[in-house]
Amino acid sequence: MSKLLFKSIEVEQFRQFRSSVTVHDLTSELNVIAGSNEAGKSTLLLAVRAALFDRYKSSVGESFRPYGAKVSPKVCLVFELDGVEYRLTKVFSRRRDGEAALVASDGHRWEGPAAEDFLAELLGFSYAGRGGSRPEFQGLAGLLWVEQAKAYERVILTDQSREQVHGVFEEEMRELLGGGQGEALHRRITTLQGEYFTSRDKPRGDYQRLIEREVELKRRLQDKQGELEEYEEKVDHLEQKQAVLRAYREDRTLEKAEERVKSAKAADARLAELRTQVQAGTDKLGRKEAELGGVKQAFDNRNKLISELNEAQESVRAAERALTGKEGELKVLNQRRTELKKGLDELNARKQQKDAELSLARDAETLRNLVADHDRLLGIFKDARDADSERRGCASERDAICVTEKAVSELKKIERARDLANERLNAAATCIEHRLHAGAAALLGDQPLSGDGSVMLTQRTELQVDGVGQFSIIPGGEDLDVLRRNVESKSQQLAQALSDVDADSVTSAETSLNQKNDFNSQAAQYAATLRGLAPEGLPVLEDQVSAIKAKMESLQQKLGDNANKEFDVGNLEEEVQSLQDQVAEIESDVIDEDKVLQKHREALAGLRAEKTSAERLAEGRATGLEQSRGETADDQLRKDVQDAVQQVNVCVQLLEEAKQALNSENPEAVEIEVERSNRALDDIRQEIEALDRDVRDLKVELSAIGQKGLAEEVASFETEYAFAAMQLENASRRARALALLQRALDDALRQAKESVAQPVTAKLVPYLRQLIPGAEPTVNEDLILTGIKRDGAKEDFDDLSIGTREQLAVLVRLAYADLLSEAGVPVSVVLDDALVNSDDERRDRMKAILYQAAKRYQVLILTCHGREYRDTGGTFIRLEERVERSENEESLVQDKQHAVMDEIME
């Protein structure tokens, strides 16, 4: 089975990767590349796509440069296909440093455009004509590689991927469609229908022209019929308008309307005179009411001044009483606060003494705890140091053995090839059976023959018989020489391979490999012990022991003679707490007293301000009242009010009489009658003028239309339209028959395609039921997943939740990959954060499914949720570690032992 296997990815000066970043050790099964947001997972996938599918001298290469940089992005991929390893290197640049090189392990090399063209042919894709590559040009990668934020979209096959997938079922499709005769019939019906309809089922050709002629004739017939009906309607309108005009003249309608207008205008003149009298009375009343208001206002102001003076004097007396009482309360509060403050000072002195004693007790207790921690950590440090020594010893023994699993596998393969060559050589050898008489002698090569027996010959041999002569025996002819050279070649190849791994046989190589695995397992166990004893490493543990020891010495120096003294910490803490509570209680009382004192002081200040304000207000109001009385006496103000009221009453009586006279004429009815009679006169005049004009226009128009012969034209168009409709009906019957036959053939084709879709469904069902028990997929004739069936109901793909759509899109890609892989097509599946909307249970099921699929082809998962994919069971790679190693080259210069053990501890 052919396999496509990516082994390593190296990116340099590509978007956010300014320095070289390498991801290697990719296996042929499940690989998880984890990294946090902005770590560069999607950029890494973009670099792989660019190296494979973009021209190295295209303009899109400039978009791969790091922000603000002028350097040329570089990507190097190592992948294996059909047992051949390829190394692809691309430098994206239109300058001289642009490069494309593809080197194969069998010695072939391609450079520049030739390398890109061979790569496209090898992987089955094509380059975009302009701009960057798109999924429709990327072959199976466009189908099986999922970009970030697009996992939940419906999976659609591009032209290239559809051709590759359909190629698996090409023969089955031809048989289901009836072979060559079925295809010919379908093409013939399609051709005939094409004479009547376009690809979008729109009429065309003669059929379209018949439809257009029928529509045009029908429109022209309807137009003429409309003209005839319009002529007849206009004749009726003329007669109606002439009858209305005669009625107006006979009834003298216009003269009667003019008389009503004259009568209404006379009544309106009488109303205007009465309104003038009412307005004059209203104006006079307004003036008198204004004079009354001014007099009343002056009288009310005088009374208000008197009242305000009395209120101000009473406020002054009340403020004096409140101020005297508040000063007495403040004196008592000051005495009580002084007594509380004295008791608080005594308690604080006692508390400071106990605090000092408690601090010594706690330092002594801390010293005892530090001594115990120091002894415990010192023991752990010794055990961890021993485990690290053992780990290093096992790793050294393991690294001394150069045998690898791949080397042993290759040795077995070579040994099987040598044995097979031997068997083929023996099968092609010539068997010489001899039965010699007693005393007869013969010599076969250097071997004498006697008696009965047989000899197998694999190369040219001379047979000498005494008294007869010499025979040349050539077993198998020229082919046997080739077989023998093949045996010698395989034997030499096996000997060289054994020498490379320092072994004398395949069995001894396997024994060395088992020993290496044992040493590796022991090293891992000691590493786990070291990790359990010192999770952060031996230096950190040693620093912790030193830090505790330094704290011990500092406390011993601080305590001096009190270091070994026994203290009753609990009793001291209770005494300090008791004193603290008493201090807090008295401090709270002092604070409360301070608050009360502050409120009394503020109240006292407020009362003093209120007294001053009240005195100032009373003086001001007394002055104002005295000035007002100097201008006008109180009695004079009362007399002015009485005179103004009497004058207003007289004006009110005169105005009421004028209003009664006006209302008796019914003003509203007079105004309405004037408006109505004028409008009626205008309407009658306009209508008569319009009727005269319409009658003249209709007579002129009807005189012109009557000369056209509309009735004869309508009859002619009816005959022509009937013939065109008959022709169209005949053509429509044939078109409908062809369309019906086409639909029948299309239904048969669709059913055939649905049958061909069965392999996709068969591959998808186990995955789907593992994810959603009891569910069944619905796959259309184009091999596209359209939805699922569960609990007796069909659910469309677009109606499912985003999480479920993500999961189904991954499963259908796995089904495609299974079919293509079984057909010998090399595939790989790449998922960039494809399950971000899955819940924990569904994600666990998907991880199991991906692990299962990765047994057949390589699966790469890029994710920012590394913790959730740590238990997938595949190879786990942290992208940040690869970036850090690239940026810090000094940390990479370590021996093989430390590199392997660091990966185990991580």
Side-chain angles (χ1 to χ4, degrees), residues 72-326:
S72 299
K74 179 180 179 181
V75 182
C76 181
L77 300 180
V78 177
F79 64 92
E80 182 179 316
L81 180 62
D82 294 333
V84 179
E85 183 176 280
Y86 297 90
R87 183 177 183 85
L88 172 65
T89 302
K90 275 195 180 182
V91 178
F92 294 92
S93 176
R94 293 183 172 183
R95 303 191 298 266
R96 293 183 177 180
D97 61 339
E99 177 188 358
L102 182 65
V103 181
S105 60
D106 58 7
H108 288 85
R109 179 183 178 88
W110 300 265
E111 293 184 354
E116 293 181 326
D117 294 340
F118 179 78
L119 183 66
E121 180 182 356
L122 182 68
L123 299 181
F125 68 89
S126 58
Y127 291 102
R130 296 183 62 184
S133 180
R134 298 182 294 276
E136 57 264 30
F137 298 113
Q138 295 171 5
L140 292 179
L143 173 66
L144 303 180
W145 293 17
V146 183
E147 295 183 11
Q148 189 178 32
K150 292 185 178 181
Y152 61 86
E153 296 178 356
R154 187 189 293 265
V155 181
I156 303 298
L157 278 74
T158 63
D159 292 341
Q160 286 188 352
S161 60
R162 182 183 294 107
E163 181 180 352
Q164 290 173 294
V165 174
H166 282 184
V168 178
F169 317 115
E170 184 173 357
E171 290 302 321
E172 297 181 34
M173 178 71 78
R174 289 180 59 83
E175 293 178 4
L176 288 170
L177 292 178
Q181 293 181 352
E183 291 180 356
L185 175 62
H186 187 267
R187 286 195 300 271
R188 177 58 178 163
I189 297 301
T190 301
T191 301
L192 291 175
Q193 190 195 20
E195 296 176 359
Y196 288 87
F197 297 101
T198 65
S199 59
R200 296 185 178 181
D201 293 333
K202 301 294 184 182
R204 69 184 303 173
D206 293 338
Y207 185 42
Q208 172 67 14
R209 286 188 286 275
L210 284 175
I211 294 174
E212 292 174 351
R213 176 169 174 75
E214 188 268 346
V215 171
E216 175 63 19
L217 289 174
K218 184 176 181 180
R219 182 189 63 77
R220 294 171 63 186
L221 174 61
Q222 290 173 345
D223 291 345
K224 289 299 178 182
Q225 290 174 339
E227 291 179 11
L228 182 59
E229 291 174 358
E230 184 179 358
Y231 175 78
E232 294 172 349
E233 289 177 357
K234 289 179 178 180
V235 172
D236 293 339
H237 289 166
L238 177 60
E239 294 176 354
Q240 292 172 1
K241 292 180 183 296
Q242 289 175 335
V244 173
L245 275 174
R246 286 194 301 271
Y248 276 140
R249 292 191 179 97
E250 291 173 357
D251 294 342
R252 297 182 65 253
T253 303
L254 184 59
E255 290 83 351
K256 291 178 181 178
E258 291 173 346
E259 292 174 357
R260 284 195 295 271
V261 169
K262 291 179 181 179
S263 177
K265 287 182 177 180
D268 187 58
R270 290 194 299 274
L271 282 177
E273 184 179 353
L274 289 174
R275 286 194 181 97
T276 302
Q277 295 176 6
V278 170
Q279 185 61 43
T282 301
D283 294 342
K284 184 177 181 180
L285 176 60
R287 291 192 298 272
K288 293 300 179 181
E289 286 179 341
E291 293 174 0
L292 175 61
V295 174
K296 281 186 176 182
Q297 182 64 39
F299 184 73
D300 291 341
N301 289 340
R302 178 63 53 79
N303 289 333
K304 182 179 180 182
L305 286 173
I306 296 171
S307 176
E308 288 176 348
L309 177 59
N310 293 333
E311 291 176 357
Q313 291 172 347
E314 178 58 31
S315 296
V316 171
R317 291 190 290 272
E320 289 175 346
R321 291 193 297 270
L323 184 60
T324 302
K326 188 61 68 176

Side-chain angles (χ1 to χ4, degrees), residues 189 193 197 732-747:
I189 297 301
Q193 190 195 20
F197 297 101
S732 296
R733 281 198 294 269
R734 179 173 173 82
R736 288 194 297 271
L738 287 171
L740 179 62
L741 182 56
Q742 178 69 28
R743 286 195 298 272
L745 290 175
D746 287 343
D747 289 340

Side-chain angles (χ1 to χ4, degrees), residues 553-812:
E553 294 173 350
S554 177
L555 275 178
Q556 286 172 348
Q557 184 177 1
K558 178 181 177 182
L559 289 171
D561 296 337
N562 292 320
N564 298 321
K565 183 179 178 180
E566 293 293 334
F567 292 93
D568 189 349
V569 178
N571 187 37
L572 287 172
E573 288 177 345
E574 290 178 359
E575 291 180 6
V576 170
Q577 185 61 44
S578 175
L579 290 172
Q580 179 66 33
D581 294 342
Q582 294 177 38
V583 169
E585 183 177 358
I586 295 178
E587 285 178 344
S588 177
D589 293 341
V590 171
I591 292 172
D592 292 341
E593 288 297 326
D594 286 341
K595 291 179 180 178
V596 173
L597 276 172
Q598 183 62 27
K599 289 181 180 178
H600 275 71
R601 293 191 185 101
E602 293 173 355
L604 185 61
L607 290 174
R608 287 173 179 163
E610 288 178 4
K611 178 177 177 295
T612 302
S613 178
E615 289 173 346
R616 188 179 298 111
L617 180 61
E619 291 175 0
R621 287 178 177 174
T623 303
L625 179 59
E626 184 178 354
Q627 291 175 352
S628 178
R629 283 175 174 170
E631 296 174 357
T632 306
D634 293 348
D635 293 340
Q636 181 62 42
L637 285 176
R638 292 190 188 92
K639 184 177 182 303
D640 291 344
V641 171
Q642 292 173 358
D643 293 343
V645 168
Q646 185 177 2
Q647 292 176 7
V648 168
N649 291 336
V650 172
C651 290
V652 168
Q653 184 177 359
L654 293 175
L655 179 60
E656 186 63 28
E657 292 174 357
K659 288 181 177 180
Q660 289 178 358
L662 177 61
N663 291 334
S664 64
E665 294 293 331
N666 196 358
E668 183 177 3
V670 173
E671 292 174 354
I672 291 175
E673 180 60 22
V674 170
E675 180 183 354
R676 186 188 68 81
S677 60
N678 281 323
R679 180 172 295 178
L681 178 61
D682 293 340
D683 290 344
I684 291 171
R685 282 176 178 168
Q686 293 174 5
E687 186 173 1
I688 290 174
E689 292 174 357
L691 287 170
D692 285 335
R693 185 170 56 255
D694 291 345
V695 167
R696 288 193 304 270
D697 294 344
L698 284 172
K699 285 180 179 179
V700 173
E701 187 176 359
L702 291 174
S703 176
I705 295 175
Q707 299 176 4
K708 292 184 178 180
L710 289 176
E712 292 80 2
E713 290 183 4
V714 169
S716 175
F717 275 117
E718 286 177 344
T719 301
E720 189 175 358
Y721 172 72
F723 179 72
M726 179 184 67
Q727 287 182 314
L728 176 61
E729 178 61 24
N730 291 335
S732 296
R733 281 198 294 269
R734 179 173 173 82
R736 288 194 297 271
L738 287 171
L740 179 62
L741 182 56
Q742 178 69 28
R743 286 195 298 272
L745 290 175
D746 287 343
D747 289 340
L749 176 62
R750 184 177 61 258
Q751 292 175 3
K753 288 184 176 181
E754 289 175 353
S755 299
V756 172
Q758 182 58 34
V760 176
T761 304
K763 292 295 182 183
L764 184 56
V765 164
Y767 291 141
L768 179 58
R769 290 181 177 172
Q770 189 173 349
L771 178 69
I772 307 174
E776 294 184 1
T778 56
V779 180
N780 65 12
E781 65 273 14
D782 293 324
L783 307 182
I784 297 174
L785 177 69
T786 58
I788 61 173
K789 295 178 182 178
R790 56 179 172 181
D791 299 330
K794 182 178 179 180
E795 301 178 58
D796 188 73
F797 182 87
D798 295 330
D799 295 335
L800 299 170
S801 68
I802 290 181
T804 302
R805 282 152 56 190
E806 283 183 341
Q807 298 148 18
L808 293 179
V810 172
L811 295 187
V812 74

Side-chain angles (χ1 to χ4, degrees), residues 5-56:
L5 168 61
F6 289 97
K7 292 187 172 183
S8 70
I9 307 167
E10 183 177 354
V11 182
E12 184 177 352
Q13 298 295 347
F14 195 98
R15 291 281 177 90
Q16 69 189 80
F17 296 133
R18 291 184 176 271
S19 59
S20 176
V21 177
T22 303
V23 176
H24 52 78
D25 299 333
L26 295 174
T27 67
S28 61
E29 298 182 354
L30 182 62
N31 302 268
V32 178
I33 302 176
S36 58
N37 290 328
E38 306 298 332
K41 304 181 304 302
S42 298
T43 302
L44 188 68
L45 180 57
L46 175 63
V48 176
R49 286 184 182 273
L52 293 176
F53 308 124
D54 285 320
R55 295 282 190 183
Y56 73 99

